Amino acid sequence: MRDIWLNPTRTSNWDSDPLSGNPLRTEQLDLLFSLIADHYIPGSTILDIGSGSGLVEEQLFRRLPDASVVGVDYSPAMIAMAAKRLRGKEKQFVIVQQDLCNIQASKLPERDYRVAFSVQTIHNLPPESQRNVMHWVHKLLAKPGFFFLLDRVAVPGADSFPCYQSVWKRQEKIYSSSIDEGGSFLEHQQYLEEQGDSPLTLQENLKILADSGFEASALDVRGNRALIACVKASAGA
């Protein structure tokens, strides 16, 4: 993970305005919660990879008040905000501090993990670490199991960048928001580097997920934001 998320000022600013630059977040989160609710089995545990400040759990518990969730995050600043936000939910929400770049070393509570999800987190990791996380999730999940990935995806190249600009322009109009991804593909790449982001293309994500053993489907893709459903079937690997 990148050091920018260790900065308490940075994390606090993000927590106060999580929609900045991503006006689709609320709508795509609502779809994510529907998927989790539909596939959650009472008595099992939901895993959140990159649980951050607990914003997602706060909303998830409104949908599933009795759910059990284990969150994994490496930022002390984020973990502190999550503990404060979810005070009183200690029996339902357990936080494990772990660098996602070394996810294999994590020591999770022994639970029946049937659903896992990650929201706008994995693209912060180096590409090889992203691959490792996806393989690890598949190995961890029970059968049948579901992994829902809601994340930033990469613009494939300079030739397609103007098409993405058209999408962002329309989103700005529809959601009355501002999306600044750079005025050119070069500026866009510089912006990602400054933010500590290393997103993979949609096609790359789907291939890695398939190679991990998942049946992966892109359910909702708009511009550079995608919600991917990954199924670990009850039969097979």
Side-chain angles (χ1 to χ4, degrees):
M1 295 290 284
R2 309 303 171 88
D3 290 343
I4 57 174
W5 296 109
L6 297 175
N7 185 320
T9 300
R10 164 70 184 246
T11 56
S12 178
N13 289 342
W14 177 88
D15 184 75
S16 65
D17 186 20
L19 298 182
S20 178
N22 182 16
L24 299 172
R25 181 182 171 92
T26 299
E27 189 175 338
Q28 290 190 312
L29 274 178
D30 187 65
L31 177 54
L32 172 68
F33 295 143
S34 294
L35 288 163
I36 293 173
D38 286 347
H39 298 286
Y40 171 68
I41 298 176
S44 66
T45 296
I46 300 168
L47 176 66
D48 180 3
I49 301 157
S51 49
S53 63
L55 274 172
V56 174
E57 276 68 28
E58 184 177 46
Q59 298 175 67
L60 180 60
F61 284 132
R62 295 190 190 120
R63 191 76 66 97
L64 293 171
D66 299 321
S68 172
V69 181
V70 170
V72 181
D73 206 280
Y74 90 119
S75 167
M78 286 288 201
I79 290 172
M81 283 191 286
K84 182 178 180 180
R85 172 169 280 120
L86 299 169
R87 186 174 290 125
K89 293 284 188 181
E90 290 83 2
K91 291 184 178 180
Q92 288 180 255
F93 180 56
V94 176
I95 304 176
V96 175
Q97 184 174 9
Q98 177 65 46
D99 184 349
L100 298 184
C101 287
N102 189 26
I103 193 68
Q104 295 89 341
S106 61
K107 299 185 182 301
L108 302 185
E110 291 190 11
R111 304 280 182 86
D112 180 25
Y113 295 99
R114 297 276 174 173
V115 173
F117 70 91
S118 183
V119 176
Q120 305 298 340
T121 295
I122 293 181
H123 74 271
N124 295 129
L125 305 175
E128 186 58 31
S129 295
Q130 296 185 44
R131 182 186 303 273
N132 291 340
V133 168
M134 294 176 194
H135 281 271
W136 175 81
V137 173
H138 183 271
K139 183 178 180 180
L140 177 74
L141 284 174
K143 299 179 183 179
F146 299 87
F147 174 40
F148 301 116
L149 175 61
L150 175 55
D151 216 334
R152 171 190 282 272
V153 293
V155 177
D159 290 339
S160 59
F161 185 74
C163 299
Y164 285 79
Q165 287 181 302
S166 296
V167 173
W168 297 325
K169 184 178 179 180
R170 183 174 183 274
Q171 290 174 356
E172 287 181 324
K173 181 178 180 180
I174 292 174
Y175 296 99
S176 300
S177 64
S178 175
I179 302 174
D180 185 8
E181 294 277 353
S184 67
F185 185 62
L186 178 58
E187 288 181 5
H188 176 68
Q189 290 180 305
Q190 292 172 340
Y191 168 77
L192 293 177
E193 185 175 351
E194 291 169 1
Q195 297 298 309
D197 293 346
S198 303
L200 303 175
T201 65
L202 176 62
Q203 292 79 6
E204 288 170 334
N205 275 289
L206 292 172
K207 184 178 187 306
I208 293 172
L209 290 162
D211 289 345
S212 299
F214 285 113
E215 179 179 295
S217 303
L219 297 185
D220 187 82
V221 182
R222 278 172 281 179
N224 60 335
R225 305 287 177 171
L227 174 57
I228 304 172
C230 314
V231 181
K232 180 177 180 178
S234 56

